[in-house]
Amino acid sequence: MQISIKSEADIKKMRVAGRLAAEVLDMIEEHVVVGVSTNELNRICHDYIVNVQKTIPAPLNYGSATEMYPNGFPKSICTSINNVICHGIPSDKKLKNGDAINIDITVIKDGWHGDTSRMFTVGKIPGRTQKLIDVTKECMEIGIRMVAPGVYLGDIGFAIAKHANSHNFSVVREFCGHGIGQVFHEAPQVLHYGRKGTGVKLKEGMTFTIEPMINIGKPGVKILKDGWTAVTKDKSLSAQWEHTMVVTKTGVEVFTVSDKYKFDY
Ligand code: MF3
Ligand code: CO
Ligand code: CO
């Protein structure tokens, strides 16, 4: 697959889309509390995306039909709680004390995508949960800080997995980061494991996400009957963080930042 190189004008639009996606996460933070349902979080985000930002929630109706959801993904955001790795579908389920939840937002602004997710915690969480969340964020940041022209995606995947494994956590292999632009998921695939010196060699103007999913237990994945929800096979806790970025002349620029959540290069 051809990897598209974005122009300065394209990058300008992706910068806007990225910031808008990050601002949805800023907005929703205060609503992530004991007793709120993920449907309610979905509704608040959807209304903000559509009515305030005048952007489009990319997940809604995205992807191929499944038996249960013939129009693709049925909601506007992904909400993945505890042992859910990714693509959790908002429902009537209410958040409870000690939960860890990933909220994944993708908006389309003027035809360009911004894709970002963060972990949020509910009430008082166990120390082990916080450790997984912190290490997963470090995995994403380590990967992002390596991005520059001439670097191999295999180098980045290797470094991410090395950090996760050094804490005895495991890297999910079935899902990965992805090229992004006018298309939600495009080339290249950005694996969160790899071998040094292998895979795509980065060039200025490539845009993609880094979004490691890290498990406390084993890396195995199971997809629920709804066709979307990915859970850990061993029911262990999973965490994920995601940013959208571009390879610059000298390094990287993260698009999915806001005044409240800047990227520390
Ligand atoms: N935002 C997810 C990603 O990081 C994709 C969600 S696709 C959906 O790539 F259909 F599940 F919403
Ligand atoms: Co993504
Ligand atoms: Co995402």
Side-chain angles (χ1 to χ4, degrees):
M1 263 298 262
Q2 230 349 80
I3 300 173
S4 66
I5 298 295
K6 274 73 176 182
S7 69
E8 201 44 61
D10 300 340
I11 288 167
K12 250 197 181 138
K13 294 186 192 139
M14 287 193 72
R15 200 174 277 134
V16 174
R19 174 167 289 267
L20 288 163
E23 286 173 353
V24 178
L25 290 172
D26 290 350
M27 179 281 300
I28 202 61
E29 181 164 25
E30 65 171 320
H31 299 281
V32 184
V33 293
V34 173
V36 73
S37 72
T38 47
N39 263 343
E40 182 68 1
L41 297 176
N42 177 75
R43 187 193 60 75
I44 297 166
C45 288
H46 178 92
D47 289 352
Y48 187 79
I49 289 167
V50 171
N51 300 326
V52 178
Q53 293 191 332
K54 317 245 182 256
T55 60
I56 298 166
L60 188 58
N61 303 320
Y62 177 78
S64 24
T66 61
E67 207 173 322
M68 205 176 286
Y69 297 113
N71 300 317
F73 193 79
K75 301 280 174 166
S76 298
I77 66 172
C78 295
T79 50
S80 303
I81 305 171
N82 297 339
N83 62 312
V84 179
I85 296 168
C86 64
H87 305 164
I89 301 174
S91 71
D92 290 335
K93 193 181 163 123
K94 290 184 166 76
L95 297 182
K96 56 183 197 315
N97 185 52
D99 281 347
I101 178 174
N102 174 278
I103 301 181
D104 193 337
I105 302 291
T106 310
V107 302
I108 310 173
K109 171 69 175 174
D110 292 337
W112 294 86
H113 291 74
D115 186 6
T116 184
S117 80
R118 298 178 201 160
M119 295 300 297
F120 299 91
T121 57
V122 183
K124 193 170 157 47
I125 54 158
R128 200 72 192 125
T129 304
Q130 190 62 52
K131 185 73 193 172
L132 178 71
I133 291 172
D134 293 346
V135 169
T136 304
K137 185 161 188 258
E138 288 159 16
C139 284
M140 175 189 68
E141 290 168 349
I142 286 167
I144 293 173
R145 290 193 191 103
M146 290 174 72
V147 171
V151 172
Y152 289 91
L153 283 181
D155 300 344
I156 291 173
F158 177 83
I160 289 170
K162 187 176 158 196
H163 188 63
N165 295 335
S166 77
H167 290 274
N168 274 318
F169 298 145
S170 62
V171 176
V172 170
R173 301 170 84 92
E174 282 82 350
F175 300 98
C176 55
H178 49 91
I180 182 169
Q182 286 175 297
V183 174
F184 192 167
H185 296 103
E186 60 182 32
Q189 290 196 30
V190 182
L191 302 183
H192 305 111
Y193 59 92
R195 275 190 308 129
K196 285 186 193 171
T198 66
V200 169
K201 193 176 177 179
L202 296 179
K203 287 195 184 75
E204 184 181 353
M206 288 181 177
T207 53
F208 53 84
T209 70
I210 294 181
E211 49 180 300
M213 287 142 274
I214 308 294
N215 301 347
I216 276 194
K218 299 210 174 76
V221 172
K222 191 176 105 178
I223 307 291
L224 299 189
K225 287 199 180 53
D226 60 30
W228 284 105
T229 311
V231 300
T232 54
K233 232 183 204 158
D234 65 5
K235 301 190 166 62
S236 69
L237 203 64
S238 187
Q240 178 177 31
W241 292 81
E242 175 177 27
H243 271 311
T244 299
M245 68 209 75
V246 61
V247 183
T248 64
K249 197 177 284 305
T250 53
V252 62
E253 178 187 338
V254 176
F255 289 146
T256 38
V257 290
S258 64
D259 292 342
K260 232 164 120 178
Y261 183 59
K262 297 197 166 61
F263 186 80
D264 191 10
Y265 289 92

